[in-house]
Amino acid sequence: MSTAAAVPIDRLLYKPEEAAEVLALGRSTIYELMAEGTLRYVKRGRSRRIRRSDLEAYVNSLEPISH
């Protein structure tokens, strides 16, 4: 029996639920961002996937709030 921790996979594509976890946002928020075109995604059949580069672009587009 191995006690080593599983190494996380550096994914290129994320399911919306996985993207929500990565961004620490709710699943419905991810779907809203996709629907309004703020978060780009690719579609293969009925499946939607979000590229890692599109997640990074979304985060980089966020403006920090200055007080």
Side-chain angles (χ1 to χ4, degrees):
M1 180 184 336
S2 175
T3 58
V7 176
I9 298 172
D10 193 17
R11 295 177 185 240
L12 296 175
L13 294 173
Y14 292 85
K15 295 176 185 176
E17 294 79 9
E18 295 167 336
E21 186 174 331
V22 168
L23 296 178
L25 297 173
R27 185 179 67 88
S28 60
T29 301
I30 296 297
Y31 280 105
E32 289 171 11
L33 292 170
M34 291 166 60
E36 66 190 25
T38 303
L39 182 57
R40 296 180 56 181
Y41 64 92
V42 295
K43 193 168 182 182
R44 182 81 173 156
R46 294 176 51 188
S47 299
R48 291 183 241 174
R49 298 293 184 263
I50 304 164
R51 295 180 293 195
R52 179 178 53 211
S53 60
D54 289 323
L55 288 174
E56 292 169 349
Y58 169 71
V59 171
N60 290 332
S61 74
L62 298 174
E63 290 293 325
I65 298 175
S66 58
H67 292 270

